[in-house]
Amino acid sequence: MKDSVAYTENKPEDHAYNQLISEDNNELSTEGHNHHGHPETRHKVNGPSTQTYRLTTAILGILCAVLMATVIGLCVSYKGLSEEHIVLSQNSSETNGNMEQLKANHDLLTAALMKLQRSFQEAVRAKDSMQLVRNRERQGKELLQRQKEALVNEETQLRTRITALEKSCERCPVGWELLRSSCYFFPPTESGPKLSWHRSREECKKSGADLAVIDSQEKQEFISSILARMGPIYRSWQRGYWIGLRDVETEGVWKWLNGTELAKGFWFDREPNDMYSAEDCAATYARENPLKSWNDAPCDYSLKWICEKKL
Ligand code: 2F8
Ligand code: CA
């Protein structure tokens, strides 16, 4: 009942509520005492509107408090976010700086890489060029090696030949003539003695030789050339040279000193004739035809001689 005033006797269970109302609405209430001596409170009841106001005020207060708390919370949160934003901004700036530095470093590295690539390509070209030079040098070296080997072989052959010649020259005594592996000696035509076949052989043996065995056309031509070189050709039977050929064992069977039978002789025409049945030793003479220059004569006849010594 709006705007009505009521006096009520407080119940124990209503005391606390009324106390609160009383305290909150001093100005709106009057106090008295009931007949029991208890304080009697008279309340001026404001009605639903007042309570609503009070409740609304309380709610508003609470809401204000909540709002304040929310604002404070938001402020704190904002402050945190702001600080975080500042930190992030700083980090972003720092990151941007780092990115710029990284980009600059990347550019430098790219330039260095390109420079290295150019250097590498130049090195590859230089290497190829050097390889070509080395290949040419190797080919030249191989050619020189082959030439050297050929020269070494030629030198070896020449040295072998020189050694053989030196040995031959060394082994043929002075005044002796060399043909292949034998040395031949011819006594002077115009001086010195003439001797029988046996004495002549002994002279040869004194030199470690023996009367010459002319068992080939080459030897005959060689000896004839030496005789022709020693002086003019005299058609004399006294200018002969004993050789190592006889037919003492069997007439007509001519044998060399080494025991081999004569195969081919270089006799004058109509020789050997064993004149007076006394000619068993053979001699050679200086004549125009070297292949017809032998005669048989008495073994005790005095002639020059030809010695032969094998190397
Ligand atoms: O007519 C050939 C004849 O000539 C000389 O005798 C006259 C020779 N005598 C000497 O050489 C010693 C023969 O042998 C030769 O057959
Ligand atoms: Ca004769």
Side-chain angles (χ1 to χ4, degrees):
M1 292 184 289
K2 194 177 177 179
D3 296 331
S4 65
V5 177
Y7 294 93
T8 62
E9 188 174 339
N10 285 340
K11 298 177 181 177
E13 63 270 18
D14 294 335
H15 179 71
Y17 172 75
N18 291 332
Q19 182 73 26
L20 178 63
I21 294 302
S22 173
E23 288 173 358
D24 290 341
N25 299 286
N26 269 340
E27 71 281 7
L28 298 177
S29 65
T30 57
E31 291 183 357
H33 297 83
N34 56 23
H35 62 273
H36 299 294
H38 294 117
E40 185 178 269
T41 303
R42 290 181 301 165
H43 295 281
K44 182 182 181 182
V45 179
N46 294 329
S49 179
T50 301
Q51 287 180 351
T52 300
Y53 287 145
R54 286 182 179 174
L55 184 59
T56 301
T57 301
I59 290 170
L60 285 175
I62 292 169
L63 287 176
C64 282
V66 171
L67 182 61
M68 284 296 291
T70 302
V71 169
I72 291 169
L74 287 173
C75 285
V76 170
S77 178
Y78 173 77
K79 186 180 179 184
L81 288 174
S82 180
E83 290 174 353
E84 189 175 354
H85 174 72
I86 291 169
V87 171
L88 288 174
S89 295
Q90 290 173 347
N91 290 342
S92 176
S93 299
E94 190 175 345
T95 303
N96 287 335
N98 290 338
M99 282 186 66
E100 291 296 326
Q101 185 64 39
L102 287 173
K103 188 174 182 302
N105 291 342
H106 177 265
D107 293 342
L108 288 173
L109 288 174
T110 302
L113 178 63
M114 292 178 68
K115 190 176 180 181
L116 281 175
Q117 284 178 339
R118 285 195 295 274
S119 299
F120 176 74
Q121 289 171 352
E122 289 176 2
V124 168
R125 283 195 291 273
K127 175 177 169 286
D128 293 342
S129 178
M130 285 182 65
Q131 189 66 40
L132 281 174
V133 172
R134 290 175 72 180
N135 287 340
R136 290 198 193 103
E137 287 179 350
R138 182 173 51 77
Q139 290 171 353
K141 188 176 178 181
E142 290 174 354
L143 179 62
L144 287 174
Q145 185 65 29
R146 287 194 295 272
Q147 291 176 343
K148 180 186 174 186
E149 290 173 358
L151 287 172
V152 168
N153 288 335
E154 189 176 352
E155 182 188 13
T156 302
Q157 292 176 358
L158 286 172
R159 286 190 181 281
T160 303
R161 191 174 171 189
I162 288 170
T163 302
L165 287 172
E166 286 175 349
K167 286 181 179 177
S168 299
C169 291
E170 286 172 2
R171 291 191 180 182
C172 272
V174 176
W176 291 63
E177 299 289 343
L178 173 68
L179 177 65
R180 297 199 180 274
S181 58
S182 292
C183 299
Y184 297 87
F185 176 74
F186 302 82
T189 306
E190 304 301 332
S191 63
K194 291 179 182 174
L195 300 173
S196 67
W197 187 94
H198 290 281
R199 291 285 307 279
S200 297
R201 189 180 185 191
E202 288 173 1
E203 283 299 311
C204 288
K205 286 185 176 180
K206 288 179 184 175
S207 302
D210 207 336
L211 290 171
V213 174
I214 310 173
D215 54 0
S216 71
Q217 183 171 326
E218 181 189 27
K219 289 181 181 179
Q220 178 58 43
E221 289 174 340
F222 168 74
I223 286 173
S224 291
S225 68
I226 300 293
L227 295 177
R229 203 174 63 198
M230 291 172 66
I233 295 175
Y234 296 103
R235 294 181 181 279
S236 168
W237 296 113
Q238 296 175 354
R239 288 181 175 267
Y241 295 82
W242 291 122
I243 61 176
L245 181 67
R246 296 183 297 173
D247 66 343
V248 290
E249 295 174 359
T250 304
E251 178 57 36
V253 179
W254 294 89
K255 289 184 178 178
W256 296 106
L257 291 177
N258 58 16
T260 60
E261 192 171 335
L262 175 67
K264 176 181 173 57
F266 304 102
W267 302 103
F268 289 116
D269 291 336
R270 294 177 292 280
E271 300 292 347
N273 60 0
D274 191 29
M275 183 172 273
Y276 309 122
S277 299
E279 298 182 327
D280 295 329
C281 292
T284 186
Y285 302 75
R287 293 292 190 273
E288 291 80 1
N289 188 350
L291 303 182
K292 291 185 177 181
S293 59
W294 289 1
N295 177 44
D296 58 339
C299 293
D300 56 358
Y301 200 68
S302 294
L303 294 174
K304 295 291 184 177
W305 62 95
I306 302 173
C307 299
E308 178 184 358
K309 180 163 58 176
K310 291 186 179 301
L311 293 175

